[in-house]
Amino acid sequence: MNETLIISTSDVDRIVREAGPDAVMDELIAHVGEAFATYNPSETRAPVRGGFSYDRPVTGLVEWMPCMRVGQEVVVKMVGYHPENPERFGLPTIVSTISTYDTSTGHLSCLMDATLLTAMRTGAASAVASSLMCRPDATELGLIGAGAQAITQVHALCRVLPIRRIRVYDIDDSALKTFAKRLDGLAADIEIEITDRDDVVRNSDVLCTATSVGVGKGPVIGHVEPRSWAHINAVGSDFPGKTELPVSILRRSLVVPDFEEQAVKEGECQQLKADEIGPSLAHFAGHPALAREHRDSLTVFDSTGWALEDAAAMEVFLAHALRMGLGRSVRLEATPDDPRDPYESVRAAIETHLTD
Amino acid sequence: MNETLIISTSDVDRIVREAGPDAVMDELIAHVGEAFATYNPSETRAPVRGGFSYDRPVTGLVEWMPCMRVGQEVVVKMVGYHPENPERFGLPTIVSTISTYDTSTGHLSCLMDATLLTAMRTGAASAVASSLMCRPDATELGLIGAGAQAITQVHALCRVLPIRRIRVYDIDDSALKTFAKRLDGLAADIEIEITDRDDVVRNSDVLCTATSVGVGKGPVIGHVEPRSWAHINAVGSDFPGKTELPVSILRRSLVVPDFEEQAVKEGECQQLKADEIGPSLAHFAGHPALAREHRDSLTVFDSTGWALEDAAAMEVFLAHALRMGLGRSVRLEATPDDPRDPYESVRAAIETHLTD
């Protein structure tokens, strides 16, 4: 009963392979959407994440994203953000693991790779926001940034909108070169057009910004007019000083944060005053009719990434893992016969060393 | 290069068995002492821990204790505190794991059981404080609370002081009954006397309080006069509202916190005004002559438990594990050939499901 279930990347891959990427994404969209719609701060506590950021040995940060379902479990996602990872180390920019702790005992019940989970749930959150705030006939998807997160944005949005064309821009040609290949099988019958960033902004019904722009280096789009009904998922803004959108666009949009308390510190909402910020995604998810009223005007989903989403996504993956019997159980933590005896298992050595 | 080393409780036990409990404790005292003495906040960041506390399903809390050595690594200890664990679940009150993250990439490089580490480093911290502030000829050790933490307090203090007699009190007889047995081999030639709490307080050169007293239920000792030169390690006060010492004793003592910013929220320092709090243990460890000036008067080490100690203790255990080739390497995190392709390993399934 006190083992820790370790679910590694190969287990996660197997879940997605066997259940099917579309089915898993659909589940994540439903489950993350439900978590927002039913969010009740007295039942679920998901505070602003904490973390360390640094400039050496490289530019990066390690953060902890805790969430508690009161009376049930604590879920903590650890996430590293290191923009130089792909070029320097051949690793994803975002590397992550997620753990669950039993609130009866403090026992670490599960540790899971959360790199794919993070990419997929970020896509799922944009899908939740976009189905609420986009015109349902949105066919033109624009992407600023063609990295790993762009792939799951496309995947998720194509599950909820009738996307027919993707316009994509990245400052890094190498990301653009492999973009179509990385979308293989996820965007069938969808035209992919590599173009300049103004074209992307001007001609999108739904737009995603998912860049590794540096602190203070935004915005990542120019002073170009988006479509008057466009919905923008601003995904990359997730750190103090890191923003992607021009404040001029934000001021003319209804800006809906995933979690306002965090978004004012790390998201596009950093650029806004309190009275310029719209209702939260939780509010809209709970009252979809209110959200729909904004479908014909400019809206922004300020997606900083909230622990609430991770806890919901963890449930989806964990249920599959348990059903499929995946993962390996490790007796990680001490379970002495006498819980008051920390040295129980080493007592023999105490005697031996004494007589030495 | 991207595997995660899992060091379980049996590996930790083997380290302590093979190196010997005394040798490991001596190393911890030296290493934790060094961490305090050389602490430089621009090189080591160890903020106040965060956590969730709750009353259901049981009274407990799960906390995260992060520490970063700038340019090197992030260490995060997760710790559960559940006072009902021994009686209800046969588990230690404090259950813990500790992880290290590479600040070059965010990679989780190691996960280790930290239950014994926590107990031992808490003892080591008291030994560091006591060797600075106790009379070097202290022979009488008093304990209020005879649980798991009491054992490592005794062990550590006996490494640095010529203890000859232990007076111990606990409100729970079952803890007292097994106390001598649990000290087996750690307190050779030391007389153990189970007595009332006033006797413990009155007749100790060095006193440790290590209880699970409830929030608002302190103090755990009465209005009895300790020896005028006594040093008190207040170990159990580690949560808002949880304190062990009467404010009257604190006011007459030099109170030295492990980490003032945390101690004013969770430690005995909650009961004091800023100008009633003495220098930190880091200051004294860096200037031992200053500490020694207080050996003949009443001193209190306000030990809330600081992430700095955990990072130092982790180094000790990890070095042993690496030297002995312990632990198992797990390929936990995703390492795609193309770090921008989150679905690389599931692509085959995408194609299959598409043609279904």
Side-chain angles (χ1 to χ4, degrees):
Chain A
M1 90 167 249
N2 241 66
E3 306 218 314
T4 299
L5 183 64
I6 311 258
I7 302 176
S8 68
T9 179
S10 62
D11 300 316
V12 172
D13 287 347
R14 196 164 148 202
I15 289 166
V16 178
R17 275 202 308 271
E18 295 203 3
D22 289 351
V24 173
M25 183 57 90
D26 289 349
E27 266 189 278
L28 288 170
I29 294 169
H31 217 70
V32 168
E34 182 74 7
F36 275 105
T38 60
Y39 171 60
N40 173 347
S42 69
E43 288 300 314
T44 303
R45 285 154 59 184
V48 175
R49 64 185 153 221
F52 294 121
S53 66
Y54 36 84
D55 299 318
R56 62 184 168 100
V58 296
T59 296
L61 61 89
V62 168
E63 296 179 313
W64 40 96
M65 301 177 67
C67 179
M68 175 167 70
R69 289 204 197 77
V70 178
Q72 295 174 60
E73 63 186 358
V74 168
V75 179
V76 180
K77 192 173 84 166
M78 295 294 304
V79 58
Y81 169 80
H82 295 82
E84 294 176 49
N85 265 0
E87 294 306 320
R88 285 182 61 161
F89 301 104
L91 292 173
T93 299
I94 293 171
V95 170
S96 181
T97 52
I98 190 165
S99 303
T100 54
Y101 301 86
D102 180 344
T103 51
S104 295
T105 62
H107 167 55
L108 170 62
S109 49
C110 181
L111 168 69
M112 187 170 85
D113 177 42
T115 304
L116 183 53
L117 174 149
T118 299
M120 290 185 83
R121 73 87 160 120
T122 306
S126 288
V128 170
S130 302
S131 14
L132 288 163
M133 290 181 268
C134 267
R135 287 187 178 178
D137 60 353
T139 58
E140 311 294 305
L141 167 59
L143 298 170
I144 304 291
Q149 305 304 315
I151 303 302
T152 47
Q153 291 291 311
V154 171
H155 185 203
L157 291 171
C158 287
R159 300 303 300 163
V160 298
L161 294 171
I163 301 300
R164 285 212 297 264
R165 181 198 296 259
I166 298 169
R167 287 181 183 78
V168 57
Y169 169 79
D170 197 299
I171 52 167
D172 181 351
D173 277 344
S174 72
L176 290 168
K177 257 180 216 147
T178 60
F179 181 69
K181 179 170 163 285
R182 286 181 283 127
L183 268 187
D184 218 20
L186 295 169
D189 307 321
I190 294 177
E191 203 174 319
I192 297 171
E193 192 179 326
I194 293 172
T195 182
D196 61 84
R197 66 178 195 171
D198 288 356
D199 183 38
V200 173
V201 176
R202 271 196 203 99
N203 294 303
S204 299
D205 300 319
V206 54
L207 181 67
C208 299
T209 54
T211 73
S212 296
V213 65
V215 167
K217 304 293 188 193
V220 300
I221 65 179
H223 293 279
V224 186
E225 200 58 29
R227 289 177 170 179
S228 62
W229 61 86
H231 170 74
I232 306 177
N233 298 296
V235 171
S237 175
D238 53 9
F239 190 73
K242 186 183 175 205
T243 58
E244 296 184 316
L245 300 185
V247 70
S248 59
I249 287 184
L250 291 172
R251 289 237 168 89
R252 283 179 295 120
S253 307
L254 181 77
V255 178
V256 173
D258 48 8
F259 175 35
E260 183 171 337
E261 206 181 326
Q262 185 169 279
V264 297
K265 292 183 177 164
E266 306 189 356
E268 297 300 333
C269 289
Q270 293 176 90
Q271 306 189 69
L272 298 177
K273 286 178 287 205
D275 63 3
E276 295 172 320
I277 299 170
S280 70
L281 186 61
H283 185 74
F284 268 1
H287 304 86
L290 292 183
R292 279 185 219 115
E293 289 173 12
H294 299 274
R295 284 184 167 173
D296 293 322
S297 58
L298 203 52
T299 51
V300 169
F301 172 44
D302 187 5
S303 173
T304 58
W306 189 15
L308 182 78
E309 300 161 29
D310 297 311
M314 172 87 179
E315 277 194 337
V316 168
F317 281 96
L318 186 55
H320 280 292
L322 294 176
R323 180 179 56 77
M324 294 165 69
L326 297 179
R328 72 173 92 175
S329 275
V330 176
R331 186 166 282 274
L332 178 67
E333 298 163 352
T335 49
D337 286 337
D338 179 352
R340 292 195 183 97
D341 188 359
Y343 290 128
E344 182 180 272
S345 315
V346 303
R347 179 115 329 155
I350 296 178
E351 323 284 341
T352 312
H353 282 265
L354 266 182
T355 57
D356 275 356
Chain B
M1 91 169 249
N2 242 69
E3 306 218 313
T4 300
L5 184 64
I6 311 258
I7 301 175
S8 67
T9 180
S10 61
D11 300 317
V12 171
D13 287 346
R14 192 160 152 204
I15 289 166
V16 178
R17 275 202 308 270
E18 296 205 2
D22 288 351
V24 173
M25 183 56 92
D26 289 349
E27 267 189 276
L28 288 171
I29 293 168
H31 216 69
V32 168
E34 182 74 9
F36 274 105
T38 61
Y39 171 62
N40 173 347
S42 69
E43 289 299 314
T44 303
R45 285 153 60 184
V48 176
R49 64 186 153 220
F52 293 121
S53 66
Y54 35 84
D55 300 318
R56 63 182 168 103
V58 297
T59 296
L61 62 89
V62 168
E63 296 179 314
W64 40 96
M65 301 178 66
C67 178
M68 176 167 72
R69 291 205 196 76
V70 178
Q72 296 174 60
E73 63 186 358
V74 168
V75 179
V76 180
K77 191 173 85 165
M78 296 294 305
V79 57
Y81 170 79
H82 294 81
E84 294 177 50
N85 265 0
E87 293 307 319
R88 286 183 59 160
F89 301 105
L91 291 173
T93 299
I94 293 171
V95 170
S96 181
T97 54
I98 190 165
S99 304
T100 54
Y101 301 85
D102 179 346
T103 51
S104 296
T105 62
H107 167 56
L108 170 62
S109 50
C110 182
L111 167 69
M112 188 169 86
D113 177 42
T115 304
L116 184 53
L117 174 149
T118 298
M120 289 185 83
R121 72 86 160 122
T122 306
S126 287
V128 170
S130 302
S131 11
L132 288 163
M133 291 180 268
C134 268
R135 286 187 176 176
D137 60 354
T139 57
E140 311 294 304
L141 168 59
L143 298 171
I144 304 290
Q149 305 305 315
I151 303 302
T152 48
Q153 292 291 312
V154 172
H155 184 203
L157 291 171
C158 288
R159 301 303 300 163
V160 298
L161 294 171
I163 301 300
R164 284 213 296 265
R165 180 198 297 259
I166 297 169
R167 287 180 184 79
V168 57
Y169 169 78
D170 197 299
I171 51 167
D172 182 352
D173 276 344
S174 71
L176 290 169
K177 258 180 218 149
T178 61
F179 181 70
K181 180 170 164 284
R182 286 181 284 128
L183 267 188
D184 217 21
L186 295 167
D189 306 322
I190 294 179
E191 203 175 319
I192 296 171
E193 191 180 328
I194 293 171
T195 181
D196 62 86
R197 67 179 195 170
D198 288 355
D199 183 39
V200 173
V201 175
R202 270 195 204 102
N203 294 304
S204 298
D205 300 318
V206 53
L207 180 68
C208 299
T209 53
T211 72
S212 296
V213 65
V215 167
K217 304 292 187 194
V220 300
I221 66 181
H223 293 278
V224 186
E225 201 58 27
R227 290 177 168 179
S228 62
W229 60 86
H231 170 73
I232 306 176
N233 298 296
V235 171
S237 176
D238 54 7
F239 189 73
K242 186 183 175 204
T243 58
E244 295 183 317
L245 300 185
V247 70
S248 59
I249 288 186
L250 291 172
R251 289 237 169 89
R252 283 179 297 119
S253 307
L254 181 75
V255 178
V256 173
D258 50 5
F259 176 34
E260 183 171 338
E261 205 182 326
Q262 185 170 280
V264 296
K265 292 183 178 164
E266 306 187 357
E268 296 301 333
C269 288
Q270 293 176 89
Q271 305 189 71
L272 297 177
K273 286 178 288 208
D275 63 3
E276 295 173 321
I277 299 171
S280 70
L281 186 60
H283 186 74
F284 269 0
H287 304 86
L290 292 184
R292 278 183 221 117
E293 290 172 12
H294 299 272
R295 284 184 168 173
D296 293 322
S297 58
L298 202 54
T299 52
V300 170
F301 173 44
D302 187 5
S303 173
T304 58
W306 189 16
L308 182 78
E309 301 161 29
D310 297 311
M314 173 86 178
E315 278 194 337
V316 169
F317 281 96
L318 187 55
H320 280 292
L322 294 176
R323 179 180 57 76
M324 294 165 68
L326 296 180
R328 71 174 94 174
S329 276
V330 176
R331 185 166 282 274
L332 178 66
E333 297 163 353
T335 51
D337 287 335
D338 179 352
R340 292 196 184 96
D341 189 357
Y343 289 129
E344 184 180 271
S345 315
V346 303
R347 181 114 332 170
I350 296 178
E351 323 284 342
T352 312
H353 282 264
L354 265 182
T355 56
D356 275 355

